[in-house]
Amino acid sequence: MIEPHAPAPPGVPPPRGVQGQARLPVRPGIGRFLVLAGVFVCAACGLVYELELVALASYLIGDSVTQASVVLSVMVFAMGVGSLAAKRLRPRAAAGFGAVEAALALVGGCSAMALYAVFAWTGGWGGLWTDGPRYLLVAFSLTIGLLIGAEVPLLMELIQRIRRQDPGGAVADLFAADYVGALVGGLAFPFLLLPLFGQLTGALLTGTVNALAGGALVLGLFRKDLTRRARWTLLVSNLLVLGLLASAAVLVDDFERAARHALYGADVRVALRTGVQEVVLTGGTRGRPLHLFLDGRARFSGRDEHRYHEALVHPAMNGPHARVLILGGGDGLAAREVLRHSGVRSVDVVELDADVVRLARHDAALSALNRHVYDDPRVHEVTADAFSRLRDARSTYDVVISDLPDPGITASTKMYSQEFYGLARRVLAPGGRLVVHAGPLADRHRAFWTVDSTIRAAGLFTRPYRVAGRDSGFAAGPDRTIGGAGPGGDWGFILASRTPASLRLASHCPRLRTLTQAALTADARAADRSRVPHPLPPSTLVHPRYAD
């Protein structure tokens, strides 16, 4: 049985790390339970801050593996430093813990708004601010890690002041509450906070809970251990933090609208957070070109999307094309080009986000741009992951069109792997063709030729080609905010088949706005001249190779 800690006899110093028994308003057993409950809540909030930084950095910057590695490694390092620094606060553990929690609630709760503001009002993560916002991400990770790390020794001190316990048992109790709290926070973020409140409000709500838990624990349970000045200082500090967080929560919708206008322009028509991504439509009225943005990156620009989609679709339609599979392309623009060919009997569009297809059906400007393809009985929409759809496919296709985000260390990487192209090869009918949007050849040279090597490794013959872009509104992919097919930029494609195939437009090809056979041949030669001297290793699920 663990005996309550008693004051040390005169002349005998108290045990190391214990400054004296706390004067509690409740029994020691209840006090110890309340401290462990505080550990649980604070641990849950701390993990939400970590996940929120990882999610926001991946959304704003891209390259999710790199961003997750930076955030988590910096944060874990900072936690160790914070634990060491907190040793100096142990004589005033209650006041120190209250100050740490107030600071953590403010910094963690406001971190999402601060990062999003820098992203929106500095023109993204490029230009003059190429490194600045990334440093801000590291600064938040470092600061939050320091504060989380400082919690552990202070909480250990508070537990020991309530009831003397052997160090091993106290550490076990503390870490049990901490790890269970982390589990709850880790599950609450993707399943509760993110879908119900979004990243900005979710972070503010987490900060509020953090401030309430820390303030209530110190000012309620350990108030007799604080001086009058310390009590008032902590009370005013926590009220100020809660007031700032509440004010930010009230203004978050106005802030988000202003940031969205700074990022996308003033003519935002549709902005919604789906279960997959943020979808924004701008323009499309009063003569303004329509733009579709997915997670902050332009999916297409109405000024020149025909250049991209004509180059993506029509070279692959030279041959049998009764059955066509489109991977991605929920906006319906690739399907629009497919349906221009006679002899098409069915088009399956595999799109991960059903809300994108819903917009393509019902938004007046977007449905007009795709010529109402989803009203055509030959077009069948399937909400699914492209990889899983290929793996479960029971039929074959004459043409497979991969209209997916650029390759990178992101969720799209598996759709540019040798395993993915092996599945695509399996669903190709005899004489079938696969065409892949492989990213900008000029800007991501090695990534483009890695796609080519990967398709070849899957047993297919390839014909690379490119098409020059005009408007800078089309994004280069998941690791770029804007750029790609701008002036001097391009889009790169690879046509693949089981046997060597010619890169030609079909004799029955409909009249195109920009693509011609002469231009296609010239662009294929230009792409071939840029081929790397030595074949690059293929990218696989366990060894992705698309990092810049």
Side-chain angles (χ1 to χ4, degrees):
M1 179 176 177
I2 300 174
E3 296 294 335
H5 174 61
V12 178
R16 184 178 181 181
V18 179
Q19 302 300 321
Q21 186 174 14
R23 294 173 295 167
L24 304 178
V26 297
R27 290 184 300 174
I30 297 176
R32 183 172 171 277
F33 170 81
L34 292 176
V35 171
L36 292 178
V39 174
F40 171 88
V41 174
C42 292
C45 294
L47 195 64
V48 169
Y49 297 143
E50 294 183 30
L51 296 176
E52 170 255 316
L53 286 179
V54 171
L56 195 64
S58 300
Y59 162 49
L60 299 180
I61 306 175
D63 195 356
S64 58
V65 171
T66 299
Q67 306 316 322
S69 300
V70 168
V71 170
L72 296 180
S73 59
V74 170
M75 195 167 284
V76 170
F77 162 76
M79 288 168 63
V81 176
S83 294
L84 289 175
K87 291 169 65 176
R88 296 178 178 271
L89 299 176
R90 287 165 61 196
R92 299 176 180 85
F97 180 74
V100 165
E101 292 310 298
L104 181 58
L106 181 63
V107 174
C110 295
S111 58
M113 290 187 73
L115 285 168
Y116 192 56
V118 171
F119 175 75
W121 276 285
T122 62
W125 304 86
L128 178 65
W129 293 86
T130 297
D131 296 321
R134 299 179 192 273
Y135 291 152
L136 183 62
L137 174 67
V138 173
F140 272 116
S141 303
L142 187 64
T143 304
I144 292 173
L146 287 170
L147 295 170
I148 292 175
E151 292 174 334
V152 175
L154 297 177
L155 286 166
M156 178 67 71
E157 185 78 15
L158 294 176
I159 287 179
Q160 290 288 54
R161 289 188 188 182
I162 293 175
R163 177 184 290 178
R164 178 75 183 279
Q165 188 175 358
D166 66 280
V171 168
D173 293 340
L174 182 68
F175 282 179
D178 185 82
Y179 293 153
V180 174
L183 171 66
V184 172
L187 294 177
F189 178 73
F191 296 114
L192 178 64
L193 292 175
L194 199 57
L196 293 183
F197 302 103
Q199 290 179 315
L200 304 186
T201 304
L204 294 170
L205 180 61
T206 303
T208 301
V209 172
N210 202 163
L212 289 173
L217 183 65
V218 174
L219 295 173
L221 190 61
F222 293 97
R223 63 179 180 271
K224 294 182 179 179
D225 280 12
L226 302 173
T227 64
R228 179 181 178 87
R229 180 179 179 181
R231 284 198 298 269
W232 278 104
T233 299
L234 285 178
L235 179 61
V236 172
S237 298
N238 276 276
L239 290 176
L240 182 60
V241 169
L242 290 172
L244 290 172
L245 294 174
S247 300
V250 170
L251 299 173
V252 72
D253 290 337
D254 293 335
F255 167 84
E256 192 168 356
R257 279 192 295 269
R260 189 178 291 124
H261 287 165
L263 182 61
Y264 301 115
D267 58 345
V268 174
R269 289 195 302 104
V270 176
L272 59 97
R273 165 63 64 178
T274 72
V276 178
Q277 60 202 338
E278 183 183 60
V279 180
V280 174
L281 279 176
T282 68
T285 59
R286 297 188 296 275
R288 295 174 179 173
L290 179 67
H291 292 76
L292 171 65
F293 296 85
L294 302 178
D295 273 350
R297 290 156 182 85
R299 186 66 185 94
F300 70 75
S301 166
R303 290 192 184 97
D304 67 349
E305 57 80 17
H306 58 277
R307 299 173 65 86
Y308 169 84
H309 289 102
E310 285 182 356
L312 172 70
V313 172
H314 294 289
M317 300 295 285
N318 182 22
H321 53 261
R323 291 180 52 80
V324 179
L325 173 66
I326 301 175
L327 304 173
D331 49 45
L333 300 179
R336 176 199 66 194
E337 296 300 318
V338 168
L339 293 179
R340 296 179 66 189
H341 289 260
S342 60
V344 175
R345 294 204 306 267
S346 69
V347 181
D348 291 344
V349 180
V350 179
E351 169 60 51
L352 183 61
D353 193 343
D355 287 302
V356 172
V357 176
R358 193 172 295 113
L359 275 177
R361 286 180 183 272
H362 302 297
D363 182 81
L366 183 52
S367 62
L369 189 61
N370 66 36
R371 298 179 186 172
H372 305 277
V373 293
Y374 288 109
D375 294 334
D376 193 305
R378 294 173 294 176
V379 177
H380 311 282
E381 176 259 326
V382 180
T383 302
D385 172 77
F387 195 101
S388 300
R389 177 65 178 179
L390 285 181
R391 184 167 54 187
D392 299 335
R394 295 293 181 265
S395 57
T396 58
Y397 296 88
D398 300 306
V399 179
V400 177
I401 299 171
S402 180
D403 185 17
L404 298 166
D406 288 5
I409 308 298
T410 64
S412 68
T413 301
K414 69 178 182 180
M415 264 69 87
Y416 290 88
S417 65
Q418 182 177 340
E419 292 87 346
F420 179 80
Y421 295 126
L423 294 173
R425 181 179 184 274
R426 190 179 68 181
V427 303
L428 284 178
R433 283 87 57 213
L434 163 71
V435 64
V436 175
H437 162 232
L441 177 56
D443 292 345
R444 303 191 68 188
H445 183 260
R446 288 185 62 86
F448 178 89
W449 289 110
T450 298
V451 176
D452 182 78
S453 297
T454 303
I455 296 174
R456 287 176 176 268
L460 295 169
F461 293 88
T462 61
R463 290 297 305 271
Y465 63 103
R466 58 179 286 279
V467 61
R470 183 189 68 195
D471 178 30
S472 62
F474 199 103
D479 297 332
R480 303 289 189 273
T481 302
I482 57 174
D490 61 18
W491 297 295
F493 307 93
I494 297 173
L495 181 68
S497 55
R498 294 174 181 269
T499 58
S502 61
L503 184 61
R504 298 190 61 82
L505 298 176
S507 58
H508 60 271
C509 186
R511 183 181 180 85
L512 305 179
R513 295 176 62 180
T514 57
L515 188 63
T516 65
Q517 183 59 54
L520 183 61
T521 301
D523 281 341
R525 289 173 179 169
D528 202 57
R529 285 195 297 269
S530 72
R531 187 182 295 272
V532 293
H534 303 290
L536 296 171
S539 181
T540 66
L541 290 177
V542 297
H543 197 162
R545 300 180 183 273
Y546 292 111
D548 286 337

